[in-house]
Amino acid sequence: MHFKHPEILYFLFLLIVPILVHLFQLRRFKTSYFTNVKFLKELAVQTRKSSKIKKRLLLATRLLLLTCIIFAFAQPFFEAKDSKNATNEMYIVLDNSFSMQAKGKKGELLKRAVQELLENTPENTQFSLLTNTENFWNTDIKSSKSALQNLKYSAIPFELSSIMAKIKAHKSAHKKDIVIITDAIDLAEKDVANIDSDEKPYFIVPEAEQKNNVSIDSVFINQTLENFYEIGINLSAYGEDFKPISMALYNQNKLIAKTIINFDTKKKKINFTIPKEAFNGFVTIEDNGLSYDNKLFFSISKAKKTNVISIGEPEKSSFLSRIYTTAEFNYTNYSIRDLDYNRLEEQNTIVLNELDEVPQALQTTLKAFVSKGGNLVVIPSEKTSINNLNTFLGNFGRIQFKNLENQSKLITKINFDHPLFSGVFENKITNFQYPKTNNSFAVSSSYPAVLSYEDQSVFVTMIQNPVSGITIFSAPINTANSNFQQSPLIVPLFYKMAQNNQKTGVTALIIGNNPPYFVDVLLTKDAILEVKGTEDSFIPIQQILNKKVKLTFNDFPETAGNYTVFDKKEPIENLSFNYKRTESDLRQVNTNVISDFKTADTISTIFNTLQTERTDSQIWKWFVIFALLFLALEMAIIKFVK
């Protein structure tokens, strides 16, 4: 037992006072006998005995009364089990990612967690609240009530390791209690690996009852017809026993198509045919799972012709005119002698076809062209200066040409996963009419091959950066050196090389995961582009590049939807933004990584546990009660004991 004011115990010396009073009352008197009261002697003896008992009882009760009063003022207590952590600071980590939209026994997991915090957090408790997107340091439940009630789901995934780093960086003289509320979707070992044992984390893992969920993953142009686009929509089903769901396609909030989907497989592809014109809308489904992945916004720009120039001898470049037709391309060819440099910056793609040497002026121009989003295709000549070509390619990446090999090789391997061949083949082809080359260069490249020879050496490779692509052949493809021009592979390959990163398809950007975006507009030096949506607007980071503007979005916008790029009040281009589909699978709950930490069902359980373990047991009230009892007992002895 401990005392809050142990100095009060010195007053126990006052116990001598009632003892002295008692001894004074017990002093001896001389006895005198009278003849007329002699018959009362026996009664007097009995009365004297009763008086002694009464006085002793009164002495005992007064001593106990005074002792209880002194002990009550000294405030005795039993020390708490975990008293050394009573001054710990509280940190509450609340996962507000989209997977917390799942429904538990009492509604959506996030909303229920917020309600429990509001109802069960003591008003006098100071804590810091951290979510995926916001931090509220040293607050209390009253001050943070509005923020909790207005807390929105975050497009930023729950990253416990980064949040724990923030808490660790928040310097404090006290130890820390951390309460982590998360559904543990995709929680990894690395997320908890750096949690210190003295931080005493508690995990609350609310569980979703409904784990079936359907997600719209992507939208793409499956086929381009004369007057229509056939768009494909990929969906994923997570769970078991799905009922048919409805899907609808909207353009400018106008319903243009609707269908019912039966999930006989976990992956589903649905096709719609829409007019070949500008599109700015979304596709949506209705299911009983998460809602954030039930809608995918996308835009299709008005079809524009792609500008392509080939630089090389006309007789060796004639095959390109058959690929780059006037219906979709503005194609021209120049020899190196007749090249008009002023036209290069207007192009989307430039093909260097079998140049013996790339002049320094052209190297400088092409370097700037690629940095501004242009695509470059390099086809070497048998007479190419290797040093000149390597110096030129060194501007773009780690790829070097070596010696010319006079050896016939078959082109046998297609990289079906490469962006240049994505969507080209319905099935992977293992046996086709292999084209060949008679002479080719050995190439040292750190980039994946697009097409490979039978000996696994590179025939076509590509340096892909966020804004452009540099495609490099290791051999000339003129008819004297190769039959590649007769191969069915040449059309999709050159078509995709010219269209790489061009706005000829669906625009469906991912919030927080976007490469720079180029808008075709001529701006004055001080002009600024603004991106506006129905609920949100922002000004992206932008750089003016001749007749284009490079936009960088970073984590903007915060809300998925259809947006428009404005130059002052004039609309320039439509954009669509969507949330990452990383939390759609509600079965990926990983509680194994937190098995070594304390867990609880509710926040009230944690607060009650901390209150019990860290609160001293105050017993001074019991001494007050005993003092009152002894006072009542004293009064009873005085009144009833004779």
Side-chain angles (χ1 to χ4, degrees):
M1 186 169 65
H2 302 271
F3 295 90
K4 188 174 183 181
H5 303 291
E7 65 275 7
I8 301 294
L9 296 178
Y10 287 114
F11 285 95
L12 288 173
F13 287 111
L14 294 176
L15 293 176
I16 199 172
V17 174
I19 294 174
L20 292 174
V21 172
H22 177 73
L23 292 175
F24 180 77
Q25 289 178 343
L26 290 179
R27 69 186 184 279
R28 291 183 176 275
F29 294 92
K30 185 179 179 180
T31 305
S32 299
Y33 295 95
F34 296 91
T35 57
N36 59 342
V37 293
K38 191 175 182 179
F39 68 95
L40 295 176
K41 183 177 181 180
E42 185 178 352
L43 179 63
V45 171
Q46 292 177 352
T47 302
R48 192 175 297 117
K49 289 180 179 178
S50 298
S51 178
K52 286 181 180 179
I53 293 172
K54 179 178 180 179
K55 288 177 181 179
R56 288 172 181 172
L57 288 174
L58 286 174
L59 176 62
T61 54
R62 286 167 181 168
L63 288 173
L64 291 171
L65 170 62
L66 186 57
T67 301
C68 288
I69 291 174
I70 293 171
F71 269 68
F73 276 100
Q75 295 189 24
F77 63 90
F78 290 111
E79 190 174 26
K81 176 182 177 182
D82 192 25
S83 59
K84 63 181 180 179
N85 292 313
T87 58
N88 284 12
E89 291 184 343
M90 172 70 75
Y91 293 83
I92 299 176
V93 178
L94 181 57
D95 179 3
N96 63 326
S97 56
F98 283 116
S99 60
M100 293 287 281
Q101 285 182 340
K103 295 179 177 60
K105 293 180 180 179
K106 298 180 180 180
E108 292 185 16
L109 300 183
L110 178 62
K111 292 182 179 179
R112 184 58 196 167
V114 168
Q115 190 63 30
E116 287 188 357
L117 283 172
L118 293 174
E119 292 177 355
N120 299 306
T121 304
E123 291 186 357
N124 59 346
T125 298
Q126 289 284 120
F127 62 89
S128 295
L129 175 66
L130 294 90
T131 69
N132 300 21
T133 52
E134 298 180 272
N135 305 320
F136 304 93
W137 302 102
N138 302 322
T139 184
D140 55 49
I141 198 62
K142 282 188 176 180
S143 303
S144 58
K145 181 177 180 180
S146 176
L148 280 168
Q149 289 176 334
N150 296 318
L151 184 63
K152 296 180 180 180
Y153 292 100
S154 168
I156 299 174
F158 181 65
E159 295 180 355
L160 181 58
S161 56
S162 63
I163 295 177
M164 293 302 297
K166 290 180 185 178
I167 295 176
K168 197 170 290 186
H170 195 252
K171 299 299 182 182
S172 171
H174 304 286
K175 293 183 178 180
K176 299 170 182 177
D177 292 319
I178 303 172
V179 179
I180 302 167
I181 306 174
T182 176
D183 57 4
I185 296 291
D186 284 335
L187 194 64
E189 187 73 38
K190 63 180 179 63
D191 293 323
V192 299
N194 296 324
I195 298 180
D196 296 334
S197 57
D198 61 350
E199 289 174 337
K200 296 185 178 300
Y202 290 82
F203 279 88
I204 300 175
V205 184
E207 185 177 359
E209 285 192 326
Q210 169 59 266
K211 295 190 177 182
N212 278 7
N213 183 53
V214 178
S215 167
I216 304 177
D217 296 332
S218 60
V219 178
F220 57 94
I221 294 179
N222 191 48
Q223 187 177 4
T224 301
L225 306 175
E226 185 175 353
N227 297 314
F228 297 93
Y229 290 123
E230 183 184 78
I231 62 170
I233 302 165
N234 288 329
L235 300 97
S236 296
Y238 304 97
E240 303 292 339
D241 300 326
F242 286 90
K243 296 180 180 179
I245 64 172
S246 64
M247 171 183 280
L249 180 66
Y250 290 83
N251 185 14
Q252 301 286 358
N253 293 319
K254 180 181 178 182
L255 178 64
I256 62 173
K258 198 168 186 179
T259 188
I260 299 294
I261 307 171
N262 293 299
F263 281 95
D264 47 352
T265 60
K266 295 299 178 68
K267 297 288 185 180
K268 202 76 175 178
K269 176 185 172 185
I270 305 298
N271 293 330
F272 287 108
T273 301
I274 61 175
K276 193 176 181 180
E277 57 187 31
F279 186 98
N280 190 35
F282 58 91
V283 60
T284 181
I285 58 174
E286 295 181 7
D287 73 337
N288 293 323
L290 303 177
S291 58
Y292 91 97
D293 55 9
N294 287 354
K295 186 179 287 188
L296 192 142
F297 299 90
F298 67 98
S299 303
I300 300 176
S301 301
K302 185 177 180 181
K304 295 181 181 178
K305 291 185 178 182
T306 303
N307 296 327
V308 179
I309 276 183
S310 65
I311 305 173
E313 296 303 319
E315 60 273 13
K316 292 184 179 181
S317 303
S318 59
F319 71 97
L320 292 174
S321 62
R322 297 192 296 271
I323 298 173
Y324 299 134
T325 59
T326 56
E328 297 182 70
F329 298 91
N330 293 320
Y331 170 74
T332 52
N333 172 256
Y334 289 92
S335 65
I336 192 66
R337 299 179 299 276
D338 302 325
L339 179 61
D340 182 359
Y341 279 72
N342 294 325
R343 294 199 57 186
L344 294 183
E345 67 177 25
E346 302 173 358
Q347 306 307 306
N348 301 115
T349 300
I350 297 175
V351 181
L352 300 184
N353 188 22
E354 300 192 34
L355 298 182
D356 294 342
E357 187 168 324
V358 184
Q360 184 59 49
L362 182 58
Q363 290 188 32
T364 303
T365 303
L366 292 177
K367 182 179 177 181
F369 170 77
V370 170
S371 68
K372 296 174 183 178
N375 297 310
L376 180 65
V377 180
V378 179
I379 305 172
S381 164
E382 293 180 47
K383 299 178 181 179
T384 289
S385 169
I386 295 178
N387 290 334
N388 173 264
L389 185 58
N390 286 339
T391 301
F392 172 56
L393 294 178
N395 294 317
F396 309 112
R398 297 185 300 274
I399 185 167
Q400 293 288 288
F401 275 66
K402 299 181 180 179
N403 57 301
L404 181 67
E405 298 176 346
N406 298 316
Q407 179 183 354
S408 179
K409 292 183 181 180
L410 293 177
I411 302 164
T412 60
K413 186 176 179 181
I414 303 172
N415 185 352
F416 294 98
D417 297 325
H418 197 278
L420 290 181
F421 281 123
S422 63
V424 173
F425 303 98
E426 292 186 2
N427 300 303
K428 290 188 177 181
I429 303 171
T430 57
N431 186 16
F432 59 97
Q433 186 175 0
Y434 302 134
K436 69 174 183 177
T437 60
N438 298 323
N439 301 316
S440 61
F441 288 92
V443 173
S444 172
S445 171
S446 58
Y447 307 97
V450 181
L451 294 173
S452 303
Y453 289 111
E454 54 190 333
D455 62 357
Q456 306 303 314
S457 59
V458 171
F459 173 60
V460 178
T461 188
M462 183 180 188
I463 303 172
Q464 183 75 53
N465 62 43
V467 298
S468 60
I470 302 94
T471 309
I472 300 162
F473 287 73
S474 67
I477 58 172
N478 59 69
T479 55
N481 187 63
S482 172
N483 63 349
F484 187 70
Q485 291 187 22
Q486 285 74 49
S487 171
L489 292 175
I490 191 170
V491 174
L493 178 63
F494 274 85
Y495 187 91
K496 279 298 199 74
M497 289 190 300
Q499 301 283 30
N500 183 56
N501 284 345
Q502 303 305 314
K503 297 167 210 160
T504 56
V506 170
T507 301
L509 305 176
I510 303 299
I511 295 175
N513 189 29
N514 292 314
Y517 189 86
F518 290 86
V519 178
D520 296 324
V521 61
L522 182 61
L523 290 183
T524 59
K525 185 176 181 180
D526 297 327
I528 295 176
L529 297 180
E530 184 178 7
V531 181
K532 295 182 180 180
T534 55
E535 300 179 4
D536 198 6
S537 64
F538 63 97
I539 297 175
I541 300 171
Q542 47 199 278
Q543 180 183 2
I544 298 175
L545 304 171
N546 296 332
K547 296 182 179 180
K548 294 182 180 181
V549 177
K550 176 184 175 183
L551 302 181
T552 304
F553 302 110
N554 294 333
D555 291 331
F556 289 101
E558 296 180 353
T559 307
N562 291 316
Y563 290 77
T564 302
V565 180
F566 282 88
D567 177 14
K568 297 180 180 178
K569 294 183 179 181
E570 182 182 355
I572 303 298
E573 189 170 331
N574 292 323
L575 299 175
S576 296
F577 292 88
N578 295 280
Y579 302 120
K580 294 179 183 177
R581 272 26 181 188
T582 54
E583 301 182 47
S584 297
D585 191 354
L586 296 174
R587 301 168 302 171
Q588 296 180 355
V589 177
N590 188 7
T591 55
N592 294 329
V593 297
I594 60 172
S595 58
D596 296 334
F597 300 95
K598 295 179 181 179
T599 59
D601 294 329
T602 61
I603 190 69
S604 60
T605 303
I606 294 175
F607 281 122
N608 291 338
T609 300
L610 295 178
Q611 180 76 10
T612 302
E613 292 181 352
R614 297 179 182 177
T615 302
D616 297 329
S617 298
Q618 303 290 338
I619 58 174
W620 63 268
K621 295 179 182 179
W622 287 102
F623 283 97
V624 172
I625 293 172
F626 286 136
L628 294 174
L629 289 175
F630 288 128
L631 179 61
L633 182 60
E634 179 185 0
M635 300 301 294
I637 291 172
I638 293 173
K639 186 173 182 179
F640 298 108
V641 179
K642 301 298 182 182

